[in-house]
């Protein structure tokens, strides 16, 4: 029965996106909710100006509908409700950001301070809800390659905060090429399915199936040439989900490896900014690093496929480490 539910949840999420998106894309076109490309961006990306954005809203709804529709008993499941809280909460932040961008016709959106404040609210809210609703919730983390568990005490909520803010922004930075972030997160979710199976937590497995189904449907419209972009609505939500999955499967430190490509994207921006401000020189031709490879002559499709491969290798490594 569990396997049937798993497949059904995946299929419902997949079909929801595949059937809904053809109506959503022209609707967004009509509202003129289109992508605003940066003035300093690559010339090859100028053609993407006006492509509908905020598509992440569709796969967010699809995943939530599939989980609850196919698994009514999960309405009161704390794991599912926490994952939905992270997905919808960080999706809401991105939605506000996207809305401001398309209405103001600029690529500024939410001010960084306001965005971080909202991210902080949902990160802290997640921690408080988890502490209240999950009986076995603890401040312990497992050190990879060892059997050592360390109780972080008051530092644990600080770790949770940084996991949510860092990962949501990292996935957001990765969403710069057609299909890139969508594929990266689909791959990154797979290790959590394995970790959840080891824990015998069927609720998390079901949620992961819904997410992969929804993202697989979205990929049909998001792969090069993209007919729609996920926007911050989608990328912030996906980053929030990865952080939540790491916390609920007690693989907090492995998020660094599981989210390797988004981490590298973030580090490339940090390195670029620090280098330019301190030395007046750029380390990369353009940051985030996926644009650097484009400027080196790689096609957009090649960059995406290579980054997916790196992410897949990181996911395999994380599973091997996690089960040791």
């Amino acid at each position: 029965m569990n396997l049937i539910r798993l497949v059904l949840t995946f299929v419902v999420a997949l079909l929801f996106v595949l059937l809904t998106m053809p109506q959503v894309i022209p609707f967004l076109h009509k509202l003129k909710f289109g992508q605003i490309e940066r003035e300093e961006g690559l010339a090859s990306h100028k053609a993407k100006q006006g492509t509908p954005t905020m598509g992440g809203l569709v796969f967010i709804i699809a995943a939530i509908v599939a989980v609850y529709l196919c698994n009514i008993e999960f309405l009161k499941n704390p794991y599912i409700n926490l994952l939905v809280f992270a997905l919808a909460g960080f999706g809401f932040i991105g939605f506000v950001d996207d809305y401001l961008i398309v209405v103001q016709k600029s690529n500024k959106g939410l001010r960084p301070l306001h965005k971080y404040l909202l991210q902080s609210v949902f990160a802290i809210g997640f921690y408080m809800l988890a502490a209240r609703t999950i009986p076995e919730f603890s401040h312990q983390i497992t050190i990879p390659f060892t059997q050592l568990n360390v109780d972080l005490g008051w530092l644990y909520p600080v770790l949770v905060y940084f996991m949510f803010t860092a990962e949501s922004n990292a996935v957001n930075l990765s969403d710069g090429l057609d299909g890139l972030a969508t594929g990266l997160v689909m791959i990154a979710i797979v290790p959590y399915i394995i970790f959840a199976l080891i824990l015998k937590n069927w609720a998390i497995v079901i949620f992961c199936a819904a997410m992969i189904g929804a993202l697989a449907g979205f990929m049909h419209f998001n792969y090069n040439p993209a007919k729609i972009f996920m926007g911050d609505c989608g990328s912030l939500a996906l980053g929030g989900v990865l952080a939540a999955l790491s916390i609920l499967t007690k693989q907090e430190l492995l998020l660094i490896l599981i989210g390797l490509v988004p981490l590298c994207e973030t580090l490339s921006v940090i390195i670029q900014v620090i280098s330019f401000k301190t030395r007046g020189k750029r380390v990369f031709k353009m940051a985030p690093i996926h644009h650097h490879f484009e400027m080196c002559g790689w096609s957009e499709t090649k960059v995406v496929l290579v980054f997916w491969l790196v992410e897949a290798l990181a996911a395999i490594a994380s599973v091997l480490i996690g089960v040791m």
Side-chain angles (χ1 to χ4, degrees), residues 188-215:
I189 288 175
V190 174
Y192 295 112
I193 294 177
I194 297 171
F195 297 146
L197 287 172
I198 293 172
L199 294 172
K200 297 181 180 179
N201 192 319
W202 192 250
I204 294 179
V205 176
I206 287 287
F207 181 86
C208 288
M211 285 302 307
I212 291 178
L215 289 173

Short mmCIF file of all heavy atoms in Angstrom, two decimals, residues 188-215:
data_model
loop_
_atom_site.label_atom_id
_atom_site.label_comp_id
_atom_site.label_asym_id
_atom_site.label_seq_id
_atom_site.Cartn_x
_atom_site.Cartn_y
_atom_site.Cartn_z
N ALA A 188 19.39 16.53 -5.54
CA ALA A 188 19.70 16.70 -4.12
C ALA A 188 18.66 16.06 -3.21
O ALA A 188 18.98 15.67 -2.08
CB ALA A 188 19.83 18.19 -3.79
N ILE A 189 17.43 15.94 -3.68
CA ILE A 189 16.36 15.35 -2.86
C ILE A 189 16.54 13.84 -2.70
O ILE A 189 16.16 13.26 -1.68
CB ILE A 189 14.98 15.68 -3.46
CG1 ILE A 189 14.65 17.17 -3.24
CG2 ILE A 189 13.87 14.82 -2.84
CD1 ILE A 189 13.36 17.62 -3.90
N VAL A 190 17.14 13.19 -3.69
CA VAL A 190 17.27 11.73 -3.68
C VAL A 190 17.95 11.19 -2.42
O VAL A 190 17.46 10.22 -1.82
CB VAL A 190 17.99 11.23 -4.95
CG1 VAL A 190 18.25 9.73 -4.87
CG2 VAL A 190 17.16 11.56 -6.19
N PRO A 191 19.09 11.77 -1.97
CA PRO A 191 19.70 11.24 -0.74
C PRO A 191 18.76 11.27 0.46
O PRO A 191 18.81 10.37 1.31
CB PRO A 191 20.90 12.18 -0.52
CG PRO A 191 21.24 12.68 -1.87
CD PRO A 191 19.92 12.82 -2.58
N TYR A 192 17.90 12.27 0.52
CA TYR A 192 16.98 12.36 1.66
C TYR A 192 15.93 11.25 1.64
O TYR A 192 15.43 10.85 2.69
CB TYR A 192 16.30 13.74 1.68
CG TYR A 192 17.29 14.87 1.91
CD1 TYR A 192 17.56 15.79 0.90
CD2 TYR A 192 17.95 14.99 3.11
CE1 TYR A 192 18.48 16.81 1.10
CE2 TYR A 192 18.87 16.01 3.33
CZ TYR A 192 19.14 16.91 2.31
OH TYR A 192 20.05 17.92 2.51
N ILE A 193 15.60 10.77 0.45
CA ILE A 193 14.70 9.61 0.36
C ILE A 193 15.36 8.41 1.02
O ILE A 193 14.73 7.67 1.79
CB ILE A 193 14.36 9.30 -1.11
CG1 ILE A 193 13.55 10.44 -1.72
CG2 ILE A 193 13.59 7.98 -1.22
CD1 ILE A 193 13.24 10.25 -3.19
N ILE A 194 16.64 8.21 0.74
CA ILE A 194 17.38 7.09 1.31
C ILE A 194 17.52 7.25 2.82
O ILE A 194 17.30 6.30 3.59
CB ILE A 194 18.76 6.97 0.64
CG1 ILE A 194 18.58 6.65 -0.85
CG2 ILE A 194 19.61 5.89 1.32
CD1 ILE A 194 19.84 6.71 -1.66
N PHE A 195 17.86 8.45 3.27
CA PHE A 195 17.99 8.69 4.71
C PHE A 195 16.65 8.47 5.42
O PHE A 195 16.60 7.92 6.53
CB PHE A 195 18.49 10.11 4.97
CG PHE A 195 19.86 10.40 4.42
CD1 PHE A 195 20.17 11.66 3.93
CD2 PHE A 195 20.83 9.42 4.38
CE1 PHE A 195 21.44 11.93 3.43
CE2 PHE A 195 22.11 9.68 3.88
CZ PHE A 195 22.41 10.94 3.39
N ALA A 196 15.56 8.91 4.79
CA ALA A 196 14.23 8.75 5.39
C ALA A 196 13.83 7.28 5.45
O ALA A 196 13.21 6.83 6.41
CB ALA A 196 13.20 9.55 4.60
N LEU A 197 14.19 6.51 4.41
CA LEU A 197 13.90 5.07 4.42
C LEU A 197 14.66 4.37 5.54
O LEU A 197 14.12 3.46 6.20
CB LEU A 197 14.28 4.45 3.07
CG LEU A 197 13.34 4.78 1.90
CD1 LEU A 197 13.93 4.27 0.59
CD2 LEU A 197 11.95 4.16 2.13
N ILE A 198 15.90 4.79 5.77
CA ILE A 198 16.69 4.21 6.86
C ILE A 198 16.02 4.51 8.20
O ILE A 198 15.98 3.66 9.09
CB ILE A 198 18.13 4.76 6.84
CG1 ILE A 198 18.87 4.26 5.59
CG2 ILE A 198 18.89 4.36 8.10
CD1 ILE A 198 20.22 4.89 5.38
N LEU A 199 15.49 5.71 8.33
CA LEU A 199 14.79 6.11 9.56
C LEU A 199 13.37 5.54 9.64
O LEU A 199 12.69 5.71 10.65
CB LEU A 199 14.72 7.64 9.65
CG LEU A 199 16.05 8.39 9.81
CD1 LEU A 199 15.81 9.89 9.69
CD2 LEU A 199 16.68 8.06 11.15
N LYS A 200 12.93 4.91 8.53
CA LYS A 200 11.56 4.39 8.41
C LYS A 200 10.53 5.50 8.57
O LYS A 200 9.46 5.30 9.17
CB LYS A 200 11.32 3.27 9.43
CG LYS A 200 12.22 2.06 9.22
CD LYS A 200 11.94 0.96 10.23
CE LYS A 200 12.86 -0.24 9.99
NZ LYS A 200 12.65 -1.32 10.97
N ASN A 201 10.88 6.65 8.04
CA ASN A 201 9.97 7.80 8.09
C ASN A 201 9.29 7.93 6.73
O ASN A 201 9.78 8.60 5.83
CB ASN A 201 10.74 9.08 8.44
CG ASN A 201 9.82 10.24 8.78
OD1 ASN A 201 8.81 10.44 8.14
ND2 ASN A 201 10.19 11.00 9.80
N TRP A 202 8.15 7.27 6.59
CA TRP A 202 7.46 7.22 5.31
C TRP A 202 6.91 8.57 4.90
O TRP A 202 6.80 8.87 3.70
CB TRP A 202 6.33 6.19 5.39
CG TRP A 202 5.75 5.86 4.06
CD1 TRP A 202 4.51 6.21 3.60
CD2 TRP A 202 6.38 5.16 2.99
NE1 TRP A 202 4.33 5.75 2.33
CE2 TRP A 202 5.46 5.09 1.92
CE3 TRP A 202 7.63 4.56 2.84
CZ2 TRP A 202 5.76 4.47 0.72
CZ3 TRP A 202 7.93 3.93 1.64
CH2 TRP A 202 7.00 3.89 0.60
N ALA A 203 6.60 9.42 5.85
CA ALA A 203 6.05 10.74 5.53
C ALA A 203 7.05 11.57 4.73
O ALA A 203 6.70 12.21 3.74
CB ALA A 203 5.67 11.47 6.83
N ILE A 204 8.31 11.54 5.14
CA ILE A 204 9.34 12.30 4.42
C ILE A 204 9.54 11.74 3.02
O ILE A 204 9.72 12.48 2.05
CB ILE A 204 10.67 12.30 5.21
CG1 ILE A 204 10.51 13.06 6.53
CG2 ILE A 204 11.79 12.93 4.38
CD1 ILE A 204 11.75 13.09 7.39
N VAL A 205 9.50 10.41 2.89
CA VAL A 205 9.66 9.77 1.58
C VAL A 205 8.54 10.23 0.64
O VAL A 205 8.79 10.57 -0.53
CB VAL A 205 9.64 8.23 1.71
CG1 VAL A 205 9.71 7.58 0.33
CG2 VAL A 205 10.81 7.75 2.56
N ILE A 206 7.32 10.25 1.16
CA ILE A 206 6.17 10.68 0.36
C ILE A 206 6.33 12.13 -0.09
O ILE A 206 6.08 12.47 -1.26
CB ILE A 206 4.86 10.53 1.16
CG1 ILE A 206 4.48 9.04 1.30
CG2 ILE A 206 3.73 11.31 0.51
CD1 ILE A 206 3.96 8.40 0.03
N PHE A 207 6.76 12.98 0.82
CA PHE A 207 6.94 14.39 0.48
C PHE A 207 8.01 14.54 -0.61
O PHE A 207 7.84 15.33 -1.56
CB PHE A 207 7.35 15.20 1.71
CG PHE A 207 7.54 16.66 1.43
CD1 PHE A 207 6.47 17.54 1.45
CD2 PHE A 207 8.80 17.17 1.12
CE1 PHE A 207 6.64 18.90 1.17
CE2 PHE A 207 8.98 18.51 0.83
CZ PHE A 207 7.90 19.38 0.86
N CYS A 208 9.09 13.81 -0.49
CA CYS A 208 10.16 13.86 -1.50
C CYS A 208 9.65 13.40 -2.86
O CYS A 208 10.01 13.98 -3.90
CB CYS A 208 11.34 13.00 -1.07
SG CYS A 208 12.29 13.68 0.32
N ALA A 209 8.80 12.38 -2.86
CA ALA A 209 8.23 11.89 -4.12
C ALA A 209 7.37 12.97 -4.77
O ALA A 209 7.40 13.16 -5.99
CB ALA A 209 7.39 10.64 -3.86
N ALA A 210 6.60 13.68 -3.95
CA ALA A 210 5.77 14.77 -4.46
C ALA A 210 6.62 15.87 -5.05
O ALA A 210 6.32 16.41 -6.12
CB ALA A 210 4.88 15.32 -3.35
N MET A 211 7.71 16.21 -4.37
CA MET A 211 8.60 17.27 -4.86
C MET A 211 9.25 16.89 -6.18
O MET A 211 9.31 17.69 -7.12
CB MET A 211 9.68 17.58 -3.81
CG MET A 211 9.20 18.36 -2.60
SD MET A 211 8.44 19.97 -2.99
CE MET A 211 9.71 20.73 -4.01
N ILE A 212 9.74 15.66 -6.27
CA ILE A 212 10.40 15.22 -7.50
C ILE A 212 9.39 15.16 -8.64
O ILE A 212 9.69 15.54 -9.78
CB ILE A 212 11.09 13.86 -7.29
CG1 ILE A 212 12.28 14.03 -6.34
CG2 ILE A 212 11.56 13.28 -8.62
CD1 ILE A 212 13.00 12.73 -6.01
N GLY A 213 8.18 14.70 -8.36
CA GLY A 213 7.15 14.66 -9.39
C GLY A 213 6.81 16.05 -9.89
O GLY A 213 6.72 16.29 -11.11
N ALA A 214 6.64 17.00 -8.97
CA ALA A 214 6.31 18.37 -9.35
C ALA A 214 7.46 19.01 -10.14
O ALA A 214 7.23 19.71 -11.13
CB ALA A 214 6.01 19.20 -8.09
N LEU A 215 8.69 18.77 -9.71
CA LEU A 215 9.85 19.35 -10.40
C LEU A 215 10.08 18.69 -11.76
O LEU A 215 10.52 19.35 -12.70
CB LEU A 215 11.10 19.21 -9.53
CG LEU A 215 11.13 20.12 -8.29
CD1 LEU A 215 12.33 19.79 -7.41
CD2 LEU A 215 11.15 21.59 -8.68
#
